[in-house]
Amino acid sequence: MSKFLSSEKSAKSSSKATLGKTRLRGVWEPLALTAIILILWELAPTVFGIPKYILPKVSSIALALFDTSAWPQYLENASVTLAEAMLGLAIGTSVGLISGVLLYWFKFLDRMTYPLIIALQSVPKVAIAPLFVVWLGFGISSKVLVVVLLVYFPVLVNTLSGLRSTDPDFIELFAANNASRVKTLTKLLLPAALPSILAGFEVAVTVSLLGAIVGEFVGAQKGLGVMLLQAQYQLNTAAVFALVAILAVIGIVLNFLVRTLRRRMLFWVVAERKS
């Protein structure tokens, strides 16, 4: 018995060590690649004689990024862009989730509306964003609507895919026990579709920032998109890259939060992978 317990402990410790090494590798490998790219980037303008308005050095971008006088403006405009993205994400995710459930329940709605949804998704949002500015003005509403349109489709498609992939035997079991539609939805369909829904939400978080920037490009008074256009018109390429770096950091943080949420909510999937 003692031998069995000791072997079990050693197996657990070895699995923890392996997991720790995997996590460490997942951190330092991207950092190493990033460091190599930054070093080559720093050297490239000097070696190949590239003008700074085409490709500035990393050091010039760092100076623009960490300019303390510019940070109040960075923070103010980043908060505007983030507010547009998060509000559009909340609305688009909610509408996409509800639409997915309705299209799953009512097949005639699926047949009637899904081709129109595909057609709307196929239209480039840059092409219709100016209409939103005409209809809603230069305020936050037009930008939020662009984000909603970008976020809606991936959530809808993944919700429908998750609901349709639910085991029919479980659905028949709930029906045999006279479970109501609401109970079947909350106790069976949504939990079964949750991995797919959260995958769609992860995509939606990424494109929400894109939608906010596109809306600001078309017409806005504040936001990182406005700052990008201003820096571009001034041929301040270092500031453009600095703003892109800020957007990248925001995107990485949002992605990390969503992946953490997925691990917490889908704990059984994580447990199955570990086993």
Side-chain angles (χ1 to χ4, degrees):
M1 185 69 179
S2 60
K3 289 182 179 179
F4 175 76
L5 291 174
S6 62
S7 62
E8 186 178 0
K9 287 181 180 178
S10 61
K12 286 183 179 180
S13 61
S14 63
S15 63
K16 286 182 180 179
T18 304
L19 181 62
K21 289 180 180 178
T22 304
R23 288 179 177 175
L24 184 62
R25 194 183 307 122
V27 172
W28 72 259
E29 286 181 347
L31 288 177
L33 178 60
T34 303
I36 293 171
I37 292 173
L38 292 178
I39 292 171
L40 294 176
W41 188 342
E42 177 70 20
L43 297 174
T46 302
V47 173
F48 297 104
I50 303 174
K52 64 178 182 180
Y53 63 86
I54 295 179
L55 184 67
K57 293 182 177 181
V58 175
S59 55
S60 301
I61 298 171
L63 288 174
L65 181 61
F66 297 107
D67 183 6
T68 54
S69 62
W71 264 103
Q73 193 176 3
Y74 286 155
L75 292 174
E76 180 184 1
N77 287 274
S79 64
V80 172
T81 301
L82 195 57
E84 295 164 352
M86 293 300 99
L87 185 56
L89 178 66
I91 297 172
T93 300
S94 302
V95 176
L97 186 60
I98 294 170
S99 299
V101 173
L102 292 176
L103 294 184
Y104 174 79
W105 269 348
F106 304 106
K107 305 303 179 185
F108 73 94
L109 276 180
D110 190 7
R111 293 191 299 270
M112 288 172 58
T113 62
Y114 200 73
L116 297 176
I117 294 171
I118 294 294
L120 181 61
Q121 177 62 23
S122 301
V123 176
K125 304 305 176 287
V126 179
I128 57 177
L131 290 175
F132 300 155
V133 175
V134 172
W135 295 337
L136 302 174
F138 289 93
I140 191 173
S141 302
S142 56
K143 268 66 73 180
V144 169
L145 187 53
V146 175
V147 177
V148 168
L149 289 179
L150 282 173
V151 164
Y152 171 75
F153 191 73
V155 175
L156 169 66
V157 170
N158 280 272
T159 300
L160 271 175
S161 176
L163 294 174
R164 288 169 177 168
S165 63
T166 306
D167 193 333
D169 293 336
F170 289 134
I171 297 176
E172 291 177 5
L173 179 63
F174 270 67
N177 286 277
N178 296 320
S180 64
R181 273 193 165 184
V182 175
K183 187 166 287 187
T184 303
L185 176 67
T186 56
K187 301 295 184 182
L188 173 62
L189 294 174
L190 287 180
L194 195 57
S196 183
I197 293 172
L198 289 177
F201 182 67
E202 187 172 348
V203 175
V205 168
T206 303
V207 299
S208 64
L209 274 178
L210 172 64
I213 294 298
V214 168
E216 290 170 356
F217 279 169
V218 175
Q221 297 172 338
K222 289 184 179 181
L224 293 178
V226 176
M227 291 189 71
L228 277 167
L229 287 178
Q230 291 173 349
Q232 180 183 344
Y233 292 150
Q234 297 168 1
L235 291 180
N236 190 354
T237 314
V240 171
F241 277 108
L243 291 165
V244 170
I246 292 172
L247 285 169
V249 170
I250 294 174
I252 290 170
V253 171
L254 292 176
N255 182 264
F256 172 77
L257 293 175
V258 172
R259 294 181 69 174
T260 303
L261 178 66
R262 285 186 67 185
R263 285 196 297 269
R264 294 292 176 84
M265 295 185 70
L266 304 178
F267 55 88
W268 65 90
V269 176
V270 177
E272 286 176 1
R273 288 176 180 174
K274 287 182 179 179
S275 61

